[in-house]
Amino acid sequence: MFKRLRELEKQVRALTEEVTRLRLENLALREENLRLKARVAELEARLGQNSRNTSKPPSSDPPSLPLPPPKTGSGRKPGGQPGHQGHQRELVPETDVDKIIPVKPAQCRDCGAALRGEDPTPRRHQVAELPQIKPRITEYRLHALCCGRCNAVTTAGLPPGVPPGAFGPRVVAMVSLLTSFYRLGRRSAAEAMRDLFGLRMSLGSVTACERIASAVLAEPVAQAQAYVKEQDVKQADETSWYEGSARKTVWLWVAFTEQVTVFLIRASRGTDVAKDLLGQAWGVLVTDRWCAYTWWPLKWRQLCWAHLKRHFQAFVDAGGNAGRIGGALLVEEKLLFEWWHRVRDGTLARSTLRAYTVALRRRVKALLRRGSVCGHSKTEATCRELLKLEPAMWTFVRLAGVSPTNNASERAIRRGVIWRKLCFGTHSEAGSRFAERMLTVTATLRQQGRGVVDYVTSSIEASLRGEPPQSLLPMTAAKVA
């Protein structure tokens, strides 16, 4: 009997060890299952990312993404609406016309009788044509003369204002704009100069023109950077850029103001670059939620509602409680922008917008609180962060001149994005300086309605004379400076 008991005790111990092992194995499998579920959810969320719920561009959307629902028609006919100011090509003044050719009918269209006389108000039809452009070549013959007294040989130097290289200021300006503003590669720029102007250039000459323009524009661009830091309202954004033969990822930054826009290319996407771009916290800053801007006071910061709308759409795509909260937030966002568009069009007073927004703000805040405990981890994290930044969602309601989105800075940086896609960034740090300076110059001059080619040409000419280049600042600011 004792032998039987010992056998049973041995079996119990073995079974106990087996149960313990199976429990540990089961626990490990359950933990692994949870990790795999989280990984699958993360991958599914990545697959579900598109331009409607993230900051990805529409060009990255897969073909499988269904088209957005068609917008409901307004009932108006297409084209210009009553009261819309028409746009048409204006006639050039007669003083600027190179040649006037009177054209008179010879005979009556009905009876064929000969016609004579003058029409005091003939219909004016102008045709613009480009003449065949041929480079104007100036040759300077630098004589070397021997002194009859000491036999020293003296060689003449170039006259003041003559460039030491083979190309004049307008050629340098044109080449620099072709490789930057018009986003041509260096080889294509050389071909364009040959085809359009009959001027043959090597790739090395194209690079030399870029270096000259970059050096000349350094001072006015630095003035523009200082000007932007002092403005009351500015927008900022950043995107990736490539630098060097290895295509190292760096960052293209932009700061947009009403009349001046500046760019920086730096290795970091951090706070130090944001402070270098924007200066001390002065005025209102409109941005997305990127952490590099958290040092700016919430009271003087405006979050971009276009980005917020994409976050709310991401809540909807998550489904469940998060989806219902996201749908409710999109309803509030649509109502807010209906009011904002009326304020922008002048059909709603800003004071009325402030009054309307009081209740809407309470509802949005309540929805964000619900979203912070909705059970979907990513939605909860986004809602908790938005609750911390919630005062910065409504600055545009409080202050005139502040936009609810940073679309202006995104449009400005778009030209840099296209440059990066077509030309694969820049090959060196010097190339990055050229890129940021040319982007700054072209964007700012376009804002002010000033000619880009004439500005770069006159700046290079001033440099050859030993004078400072023309300022990029608006006329009033330039006079004060």
Side-chain angles (χ1 to χ4, degrees), residues 180-199:
S180 58
F181 185 75
Y182 297 105
R183 302 183 296 274
L184 293 182
R186 292 184 176 90
R187 193 177 302 277
S188 298
E191 292 174 353
M193 295 298 292
R194 181 193 62 200
D195 297 338
L196 297 176
F197 309 115
L199 189 62

Side-chain angles (χ1 to χ4, degrees), residues 234-236 284-291 293-294 296-309 311-312 336-337 368 382-383 385-397 402-407:
K234 39 190 166 276
Q235 300 183 18
V284 177
L285 177 64
V286 186
T287 67
D288 54 19
R289 291 191 301 120
W290 179 238
C291 59
Y293 307 110
T294 53
W296 204 275
L298 283 180
K299 182 180 179 181
W300 304 112
R301 188 177 172 194
Q302 172 62 54
L303 292 184
C304 173
W305 272 84
H307 287 78
L308 294 177
K309 181 180 179 180
H311 292 320
F312 300 159
L336 175 64
F337 271 79
L368 292 176
T382 303
C383 287
E385 184 178 356
L386 288 178
L387 285 170
K388 295 178 182 177
L389 301 174
E390 190 267 345
M393 295 170 61
W394 314 97
T395 307
F396 78 101
V397 177
V402 179
S403 172
T405 71
N406 69 336
N407 288 348

Side-chain angles (χ1 to χ4, degrees), residues 47-53 57-58 60-68 317:
L47 288 174
Q49 290 180 349
N50 53 65
S51 61
R52 302 173 199 169
N53 54 27
S60 65
D61 289 342
S64 59
L65 183 69
L67 295 174
D317 296 342

Side-chain angles (χ1 to χ4, degrees), residues 108-357:
C108 177
R109 66 176 183 177
D110 290 339
C111 67
L115 297 176
R116 296 180 180 84
E118 294 284 340
D119 181 356
T121 58
R123 185 173 69 88
R124 301 171 64 193
H125 174 74
Q126 295 180 345
V127 177
E129 176 61 297
L130 291 175
Q132 183 177 1
I133 301 175
K134 181 181 178 181
R136 185 178 62 196
I137 307 298
T138 303
E139 180 176 304
Y140 298 88
R141 299 187 175 184
L142 307 180
H143 289 260
L145 301 179
C146 180
C147 177
R149 186 173 63 182
C150 65
N151 292 328
V153 178
T154 302
T155 303
L158 291 172
V162 177
F167 303 106
R170 188 165 291 272
V171 174
V172 174
M174 185 63 67
V175 170
S176 300
L177 288 168
L178 287 177
T179 61
S180 58
F181 185 75
Y182 297 105
R183 302 183 296 274
L184 293 182
R186 292 184 176 90
R187 193 177 302 277
S188 298
E191 292 174 353
M193 295 298 292
R194 181 193 62 200
D195 297 338
L196 297 176
F197 309 115
L199 189 62
R200 296 185 177 276
M201 303 182 69
S202 65
L203 295 181
S205 296
V206 173
T207 302
C209 289
E210 292 178 343
R211 285 199 297 265
I212 294 171
S214 181
V216 168
L217 297 175
E219 181 181 345
V221 168
Q223 294 175 355
Q225 292 170 348
Y227 172 86
V228 165
K229 295 176 182 179
E230 299 173 354
Q231 298 311 293
D232 293 334
V233 180
K234 39 190 166 276
Q235 300 183 18
D237 199 10
E238 71 291 326
T239 188
S240 58
W241 186 265
Y242 304 131
E243 184 180 278
S245 57
R247 298 189 70 195
K248 179 183 67 173
T249 299
V250 294
W251 298 93
L252 173 66
W253 293 72
V254 63
F256 172 90
T257 65
E258 186 177 359
Q259 296 198 60
V260 175
T261 299
V262 299
F263 292 81
L264 291 179
I265 297 178
R266 296 292 185 269
S268 169
R269 198 188 178 193
T271 301
D272 54 339
V273 183
K275 291 182 177 180
D276 186 25
L277 176 68
L278 302 169
Q280 296 180 348
W282 172 266
V284 177
L285 177 64
V286 186
T287 67
D288 54 19
R289 291 191 301 120
W290 179 238
C291 59
Y293 307 110
T294 53
W295 56 278
W296 204 275
L298 283 180
K299 182 180 179 181
W300 304 112
R301 188 177 172 194
Q302 172 62 54
L303 292 184
C304 173
W305 272 84
H307 287 78
L308 294 177
K309 181 180 179 180
R310 291 195 284 266
H311 292 320
F312 300 159
Q313 183 61 50
F315 298 169
V316 173
D317 296 342
N321 290 333
R324 287 186 287 272
I325 293 169
L329 286 168
L330 286 176
V331 171
E332 302 294 351
E333 178 271 337
K334 182 178 180 181
L335 180 59
L336 175 64
F337 271 79
E338 287 178 358
W339 296 338
W340 166 250
H341 291 155
R342 291 181 58 192
V343 171
R344 189 183 58 187
D345 297 340
T347 58
L348 184 70
R350 182 172 291 273
S351 57
T352 307
L353 173 66
R354 294 192 191 101
Y356 285 177
T357 310

Side-chain angles (χ1 to χ4, degrees), residues 396-429:
F396 78 101
V397 177
R398 177 169 51 91
L399 299 175
V402 179
S403 172
T405 71
N406 69 336
N407 288 348
S409 62
E410 290 198 334
R411 285 194 297 269
I413 209 171
R414 181 62 182 164
R415 186 169 290 276
V417 172
I418 298 174
W419 184 349
R420 181 195 69 203
K421 288 180 178 293
L422 294 180
C423 301
F424 309 106
T426 47
H427 293 287
S428 64
E429 185 176 347

